[in-house]
Amino acid sequence: GRLGAVNLRLGTRGSALARAQAALAAAALAEAGVTDLETVLVRTHGDRHPETAVEELSGQGWFTAELQRALRDGEVDLAVHSYKDLAVERPEGLGLAAVMPRADPRDAVVTRDGVQLAGLPAGSRVGTSSRRRSALLAALHPELLCVAIRGNVDTRLRKLDGGEVDALLLAGAGLDRLGLGERAVTRLDPVQFVPAPAQGAIAIEARAGSEAEALARAIDDRPSRLAVAAERAVLAALGGGCLLPLGAWAEVAGERLTLHATLAGEDGTLATALVVGSAADPEDAGRRAAAMLG
């Protein structure tokens, strides 16, 4: 029918993970009736600086600015993002058309020989470049040593297999989307080891008011959208910087929203918050959690 007549161009970054996420979005759009879809690779600033820690870039638009420019300039009609890469402020003229059903939000532990985190000898090196993961690990496993590790998932796994580190902390969803989920020896309890805001969520952006935006709405998952809105509201209320060692994880059941948040202090202490709110006002729950942490 009419939907098939629209040639939609889906913009994505070129990394293996980004392409996997774009493929998921394309499949969901096809199922929703969008038959004429083309995927366009867009190089981003973050991709050109692979030596910089991803967590120092995410949330600052490093991975999103070029995709958003391509959207604005009409080179693409939709852009696929890891939601956690998007800056907290919504850019002028662009709409968040859809949040896809969220994947596993938990952090995963990968070790060389399948040993659990608790089974690692004292002084073992755990690779991560996330301040949140380092802080939570220091609080929960002070006997382990956090070391900064950079690069994409494949690079990190190679460094682990080559003995540079003894374990990795990674987003479980990223491993799953790359078909590497079985490398995880465990997935950490999200109440105790609180994930990053929007971890595991894919966002689809479009020009506000465009036909592409209306079409992409078909693949929006309301519980995922609302949960992530609450998590990101915590981040926004605390100043919005991606370098905050902040975890925020929400679950929506019916009209009830439960939000867990944690913020690491300079002295290694963890402030935690648990808020039960209304799914109709996720931002309120986020602001309340931020007030408890701040």
Side-chain angles (χ1 to χ4, degrees), residues 229-240:
E231 294 162 10
R232 285 173 56 91
V234 184
L235 185 61
L238 291 172

Side-chain angles (χ1 to χ4, degrees), residues 67-187:
L67 279 171
Q68 290 171 335
R69 183 203 51 72
L71 257 185
R72 282 204 188 85
D73 293 353
E75 291 168 25
V76 298
D77 305 296
L78 297 170
V80 186
H81 302 286
S82 286
Y83 200 155
K84 68 173 194 264
D85 290 341
L86 287 172
V88 176
E89 304 78 34
R90 289 296 312 140
E92 188 90 19
L94 298 182
L96 189 61
V99 178
M100 292 180 60
R102 188 180 204 167
D104 189 345
R106 295 174 297 176
D107 286 304
V109 178
V110 181
T111 56
R112 254 192 314 282
D113 31 23
V115 62
Q116 296 289 335
L117 211 50
L120 288 170
S124 293
R125 292 155 308 160
V126 181
T128 175
S129 54
S130 153
R131 286 186 58 196
R132 172 189 61 85
R133 290 181 185 131
S134 303
L136 286 169
L137 191 78
L140 297 168
H141 290 279
E143 76 284 4
L144 300 177
L145 192 66
C146 247
V147 299
I149 192 166
R150 293 172 169 73
N152 60 28
V153 174
D154 283 337
T155 303
R156 293 178 191 212
L157 289 171
R158 269 201 307 278
K159 290 180 176 180
L160 170 70
D161 295 336
E164 282 184 47
V165 292
D166 304 301
L168 292 173
L169 286 176
L170 300 161
L175 286 173
D176 291 340
R177 287 178 184 140
L178 291 167
L180 297 167
E182 77 289 343
R183 288 293 312 254
V185 293
T186 191
R187 313 245 170 166

Side-chain angles (χ1 to χ4, degrees), residues 188-237:
L188 299 170
D189 175 358
V191 172
Q192 192 184 38
F193 209 95
V194 189
Q199 188 158 301
I202 295 173
I204 313 289
E205 248 180 348
R207 288 181 294 283
S210 66
E211 187 171 9
E213 182 184 46
L215 293 175
R217 287 248 158 81
I219 67 169
D220 184 61
D221 181 64
R222 181 173 178 268
S224 298
R225 176 187 279 262
L226 296 173
V228 172
E231 294 162 10
R232 285 173 56 91
V234 184
L235 185 61

